[in-house]
Amino acid sequence: MSDMRLVLLSCCAPCSSGAIRQLADGQISGVSDFIVLFYNPNIFPESEYTKRMQEQIKYCEKLGVKYAVLEYDHDAWRDAVRGYENAPERGHRCSLCFEYRFRRAVKFARDNGYNAIASVLGVSRHKSQSQVDTSSQNVCDDVQYMPVTWDEGLRVQINRESDFYRQNYCGCEFSIRKV
Ligand code: SF4
């Protein structure tokens, strides 16, 4: 697709740093405009959500790229994954979580004149990129899903040079690692 007006669904600054830089530098062909979307009602507790959101905003503002932050509807997210609280990471709870976030991102894209969606939800080594791709394709229709493979080396390099706040669990209360 040419003239792609892209919504980049992001979970946090460390996962999105390379992707945002690539988009800002015009390295992804066909993208004429993009916005970073922070929509993560899965994150718990709210204080953790706020930390990740603030770090995301700081990085976007540093690079001078557009961003949007949507509602923190954690109770509704809990309803969406109900019955799968004890599923393992990469299990069905995560598919429901991805679909929930992509569904809202698609609505945001439609409402704001964007025609494509990409994400960094599969970037972490704890995640399955193919699971993210399948979940997004289940909910994207007229808004096209772009399964971009981001430059991992660039992301690692930026993160090494940055003092990002870094979390040690995916996001929801069920992913908090017991130490
Ligand atoms: S582990 Fe991560 S992807 Fe899976 S349900 Fe929790 S927040 Fe969502």
Side-chain angles (χ1 to χ4, degrees):
M1 192 204 284
S2 59
D3 188 27
M4 227 189 295
R5 298 180 305 284
L6 185 78
V7 172
L8 178 70
L9 180 57
S10 175
C11 52
C12 62
C15 284
S16 64
S17 60
I20 297 174
R21 175 76 69 77
Q22 283 181 270
L23 286 162
D25 290 350
Q27 289 177 21
I28 307 299
S29 68
V31 176
S32 59
D33 187 22
F34 78 97
I35 187 167
V36 177
L37 180 65
F38 190 85
Y39 176 59
N40 297 295
N42 51 311
I43 300 173
F44 183 88
E46 189 167 0
S47 55
E48 174 70 20
Y49 167 85
T50 302
K51 274 188 210 165
R52 297 189 199 187
M53 184 252 291
Q54 287 173 339
E55 201 68 353
Q56 182 78 76
I57 290 173
K58 200 162 82 178
Y59 184 63
C60 288
E61 291 186 342
K62 182 178 168 193
L63 294 194
V65 305
K66 287 186 287 186
Y67 63 87
V69 176
L70 299 182
E71 63 278 4
Y72 178 65
D73 51 346
H74 186 69
D75 290 346
W77 178 87
R78 282 289 301 257
D79 286 342
V81 302
R82 195 165 306 286
Y84 294 93
E85 290 85 349
N86 296 320
E89 205 163 334
R90 298 181 179 224
H92 192 58
R93 187 188 68 240
C94 297
S95 295
L96 294 172
C97 175
F98 296 142
E99 287 181 17
Y100 187 83
R101 288 187 276 167
F102 274 115
R103 205 171 284 119
R104 182 67 180 92
V106 166
K107 180 176 180 343
F108 174 86
R110 269 196 214 112
D111 291 349
N112 292 279
Y114 293 89
N115 60 8
I117 288 193
S119 90
V120 295
L121 303 190
V123 159
S124 158
R125 63 193 164 88
H126 299 292
K127 294 271 112 23
S128 156
Q129 184 62 56
S130 64
Q131 184 183 22
V132 172
D133 292 343
T134 301
S135 300
S136 62
Q137 279 153 1
N138 286 345
V139 301
C140 289
D141 38 47
D142 53 317
V143 175
Q144 190 174 343
Y145 176 63
M146 305 301 302
V148 183
T149 301
W150 306 106
D151 182 341
E152 178 63 7
L154 177 63
R155 185 180 80 85
V156 169
Q157 182 196 327
I158 295 171
N159 289 356
R160 200 177 288 134
E161 294 164 355
S162 307
D163 60 349
F164 289 136
Y165 166 69
R166 284 186 181 79
Q167 58 276 356
N168 65 359
Y169 66 102
C170 180
C172 67
E173 48 271 64
F174 313 113
S175 64
I176 296 174
R177 296 192 177 87
K178 318 273 183 296
V179 285

